[in-house]
Amino acid sequence: MLIMILMIAVMFILAITATYHVAGDQNARSDFRSGHLLKKAIENRTATIRDHLADYADWGEAYINLHQSMNLQWAWEGQNLGDSLYKLFQYEGVFVISPDGQTKYSVLYGERVQDRFENWLGKPVLQALQNELMFTKGLPLTRMVIAKGQPVIIGAAWIKAGSDSRVITTSDKHSLMIFVDKLTPEKLVLMGNEYGVEQVSYNRHGGTPYRQGDVSIPTDEGSLILNWKSDDPGGALLKWELPLLLGMAAITLLLVLALLRNVLAKARSNDNNIGLLKQSQLALAASERRFRDVAEATTDWIWEIDHQRQLSWISERFPVITGYPTRHWLGRSLTDFLPQSAAAISQWFSDPSADTLFTLKNCRYVSACGQTRYCSLVIKRVDLPNGSTTYRGTATDVTAELEAHERVKFLSCHDELTGLANRMYLKDFLETRVREQPYFGHQIAVITLDLDKFKPVNDLFGHAAGDTLLKQVARLLEGCINKNDLVSRHGGDEFVIILSDIQHVSQVDAICEKINAAITAPFKIVENNDIYIGVSMGIALYPQDAQTPWDLMRFSDIALYEAKKEEHTRWIYFRQNMIEQIIQRREMENDLRCAINENQFILYYQPRYDLKQSRINAVEALVRWEHPRLGLLMPDQFIPLAESSGLIMGLSRWVLTKACIDISETLPEMILSVNISAVEFLNPGLVQRVKEALKVSGLPAAQLELEVTENVTLSQPERVLEIMHELKSIGVRFLIDDFGTGYSSLNYLRTFPFDGIKLDKSFIFAMESSETAKDVIENMINLGKSYSLNVTAEGVETTRQLTMLEKYKCDEAQGYYIGRPMPLDKIQLNKMM
């Protein structure tokens, strides 16, 4: 049926294609004929212009009256070269051009109007015409040009005496006679009508309700496209024959479909019968394939045992999961493969009243590689038609599931990094030991332990090195305790140790000493680098310090806080007065928060003396707290608390803004120095706070110096460098405070854009009594100058110290000898030393 319909369709398609081809051929022939006629019409028009030029230009009287002299009466009034050329031949322009290119005579649209030829035409063609006439010896010629967007035929010839022997030529130069015929749209239509071509126009592109023909006419600037209304004989052919062919095709197709309908009905009936048979066969094959695919793709392996309870068939997943070849177990008992579950399986086999389906979970077996694995077993009793009984079932490998369960169970009670007990396990362990304590009568010690200098390890060597260090510390701590004790990690570098059988405090001291010795020894973490850290420990004892696990943990943490404040004490036992100190610290923190809100702070200023100019050139802003109950407090009494509690940001903003306003209003030429702590320096928003303070106060940025300690470069050096460059870009200067007491290498003097250093007062105090101190001071001053840094000595208290600093060419001095911190209005700017 498809072939017959296809053949009929191809036949009609060929017939329609041939019709289109014939129609197109007829149109092409018609358009060619019309185009040829239009070309012929153009050629006849140009030939007519040349003939007229031959009559008018090659004439003795024209030579006398137009070339030798310009006789307007002869030319215009005598109608020898007048309006008849326009009325009879539609020449819009008639020109006489002198040998030097000047228009001597012109008739435009049949009127005597004097105008230059090229100016009227709108196109510079005169020189080209003169050159071409030189080549043709003055014979009439024509050119087709586009002038002012319109096709124009220009005819030109020399004015010559012709055959008139009476005329005597006077020179070799010739005047030109030019006729201009503009092919206006009206002329084109009339010209086309003369040759049976309708609606002739030029350069028309679409937009017409009829089919267009076109022909190309060469001009000086390319081709001129002439369009006309095509006769369209092919369209007439398609108009009548195409509907007829389509109708015949539709009728033929309907007849074929009607004839084939009965044949298809009978064929369909036979196909349905055959299809049902094939579907049954395919369904059976698909069922077998589906069973095979599922059996091989599942994580289970499927098996069957015979009436003797021996394995008679095993799926191909068995060797993949267990590693054993299938042939090794065919003919053997299932209980041999699962010896740990043999008793339960045999009991089900022997019980005829048991359910036909038996399930056994987590059966242990040994794989071919010797690994212990687990599977869940499902067995089904099957009665065959011949009366015998067989067993079929599946074994699902659950080894990964059990291992994951054990892993989750382990991680729920242990730290993933170190393997030590976590908070949950520690809580249960401590609660159990506290409950058992009354029966044994021994003390329990809770040691909270924190590593010192651990953060620089992460910063300098990376977190991988830090993790390795924590693992080694965990192993060392486990080696320092007894088997009944516990080490746990709380997170970060904090550990908790439970000593559950303490008879005397000396035992705790011995273990702490052992821990301190182990952790302060060098660690080999990074190649060619020994890492040194320290440890601080806080200890709480049960039952004398606390009666509950929660209080024991809290009190040991309080003791740890005190131990970290003591530089030379590695462990501290909890004391009841520590709680009072914490309460006092909390009260002080609340007072500090109120002080910031209520503006209880004042600023003192300590002068800085320029040794070269012998005058006070700068002041350092120092904050004081007018506590309503405790009186005037120094910075070391509340700044550490402000940093640890996060209140330093609000306090620092007030100090910076207040100091800038004071200097701007009172001492506008003075340099201002303000201390910035490492905590504040790395806090986001420092740059914006400085800019706001400068804007509010009007203080020039070049008069503001920020003092930071060397240790600020240790943490996040890239961020520190970025902040410094951003502030330096607006003119702010940086000084290193307490130079020589930090941990940084001297490389930071080259890396970071500091402007000056302030020598720590500890070096100045020792200068009068120690030659070594003098050498150190002199070398530090020279070091600063080698880096082009301004050097200031802090802590100057005697005339002798100042004299020695002048000798070593120190730049500036600051100390009680120069002036104590005081209100700004009491500073003596011109004080001489």
Side-chain angles (χ1 to χ4, degrees), residues 799-811:
T799 305
R800 187 180 177 189
Q801 290 174 351
L802 188 64
T803 303
M804 283 188 286
L805 290 172
E806 288 178 331
K807 176 184 175 182
Y808 297 148
K809 300 187 183 307
C810 186
D811 297 308

Side-chain angles (χ1 to χ4, degrees), residues 214-257:
D214 59 74
V215 66
S216 176
I217 305 298
T219 69
D220 287 0
E221 299 179 352
S223 295
L224 171 68
I225 305 301
L226 292 182
N227 311 102
W228 66 90
K229 180 180 179 181
S230 175
D231 292 340
D232 196 15
L237 177 64
L238 292 176
K239 179 179 179 181
W240 295 102
E241 290 198 12
L242 188 60
L244 180 61
L245 287 173
L246 292 175
M248 292 175 61
I251 293 172
T252 304
L253 182 60
L254 291 174
L255 289 175
V256 171
L257 291 175

Side-chain angles (χ1 to χ4, degrees), residues 176-210:
L176 274 67
M177 183 179 292
I178 297 176
F179 293 167
V180 178
D181 184 10
K182 292 186 176 181
L183 298 180
T184 62
E186 295 78 8
K187 286 184 181 180
L188 290 174
V189 171
L190 293 174
M191 183 180 66
N193 291 339
E194 291 177 1
Y195 288 85
V197 181
E198 299 180 8
Q199 301 294 329
V200 178
S201 62
Y202 56 89
N203 293 338
R204 178 185 294 167
H205 301 285
T208 59
Y210 51 81

Side-chain angles (χ1 to χ4, degrees), residues 612 710 733-736 739-740 746-750 752-759 775-793 808-812:
K612 295 178 182 178
E710 301 165 82
R733 294 162 51 85
F734 285 92
L735 302 182
I736 306 174
F739 182 76
L746 293 180
N747 183 54
Y748 70 86
L749 290 177
R750 178 177 59 83
F752 296 91
F754 288 108
D755 298 284
I757 59 177
K758 299 183 73 173
L759 305 183
D775 293 338
V776 170
I777 290 292
E778 184 176 9
N779 289 331
M780 292 173 75
I781 292 173
N782 292 333
L783 175 65
K785 291 184 176 298
S786 67
Y787 281 97
S788 300
L789 300 174
N790 189 72
V791 181
T792 302
Y808 297 148
K809 300 187 183 307
C810 186
D811 297 308
E812 296 176 343

Side-chain angles (χ1 to χ4, degrees), residues 215-418:
V215 66
S216 176
I217 305 298
T219 69
D220 287 0
E221 299 179 352
S223 295
L224 171 68
I225 305 301
L226 292 182
N227 311 102
W228 66 90
K229 180 180 179 181
S230 175
D231 292 340
D232 196 15
L237 177 64
L238 292 176
K239 179 179 179 181
W240 295 102
E241 290 198 12
L242 188 60
L244 180 61
L245 287 173
L246 292 175
M248 292 175 61
I251 293 172
T252 304
L253 182 60
L254 291 174
L255 289 175
V256 171
L257 291 175
L259 291 173
L260 293 177
R261 183 174 181 180
N262 292 333
V263 176
L264 287 175
K266 295 180 179 179
R268 191 177 296 111
S269 176
N270 293 333
D271 289 344
N272 287 338
N273 295 333
I274 297 173
L276 291 174
L277 177 60
K278 288 185 176 181
Q279 287 179 4
S280 299
Q281 294 173 343
L282 291 174
L284 179 60
S287 177
E288 294 178 353
R289 184 168 59 254
R290 188 181 303 112
F291 172 76
R292 182 173 63 253
D293 292 341
V294 171
E296 304 309 327
T298 184
T299 56
D300 302 352
W301 50 279
I302 305 172
W303 48 267
E304 184 177 10
I305 56 179
D306 55 20
H307 63 283
Q308 296 179 352
R309 300 174 186 174
Q310 294 178 345
L311 291 165
S312 58
W313 176 80
I314 305 175
S315 69
E316 294 184 9
R317 290 294 296 174
F318 176 77
V320 176
I321 297 174
T322 65
Y324 290 110
T326 303
R327 64 179 183 279
H328 183 73
W329 284 97
L330 289 176
R332 298 178 62 180
S333 173
L334 181 64
T335 54
D336 292 342
F337 184 75
L338 303 171
Q340 302 294 329
S341 306
I345 296 173
S346 298
Q347 181 179 358
W348 181 76
F349 280 148
S350 304
D351 186 2
S353 61
D355 292 340
T356 58
L357 197 66
F358 176 67
T359 301
L360 193 61
K361 294 184 177 180
N362 302 335
C363 303
R364 185 159 64 92
Y365 69 94
V366 180
S367 69
C369 299
Q371 297 178 339
T372 300
R373 301 186 68 85
Y374 298 87
C375 67
S376 292
L377 198 68
V378 177
I379 309 175
K380 182 178 182 180
R381 184 185 297 113
V382 180
D383 296 326
L384 299 178
N386 59 8
S388 62
T389 300
T390 186
Y391 300 90
R392 296 169 185 162
T394 61
T396 304
D397 189 86
V398 294
T399 306
E401 181 181 343
L402 291 178
E403 290 177 349
H405 178 74
E406 292 298 321
R407 177 65 177 167
V408 170
K409 183 178 178 181
F410 175 82
L411 291 178
S412 66
C413 298
H414 293 80
D415 174 55
E416 185 175 6
L417 177 64
T418 62

Side-chain angles (χ1 to χ4, degrees), residues 29 89 100 166 176 190 254 260 278 291 332 353 428 452 520 530 546 585 649 658 682 699 701 744 746 748 759 762 807:
R29 290 175 180 274
F89 309 114
D100 58 357
R166 296 174 299 167
L176 274 67
L190 293 174
L254 291 174
L260 293 177
K278 288 185 176 181
F291 172 76
R332 298 178 62 180
S353 61
D428 294 341
D452 299 332
T520 54
D530 289 339
R585 181 180 183 275
M649 296 303 119
K658 175 64 174 171
L682 292 174
L699 182 72
S744 298
L746 293 180
Y748 70 86
L759 305 183
S762 61
K807 176 184 175 182

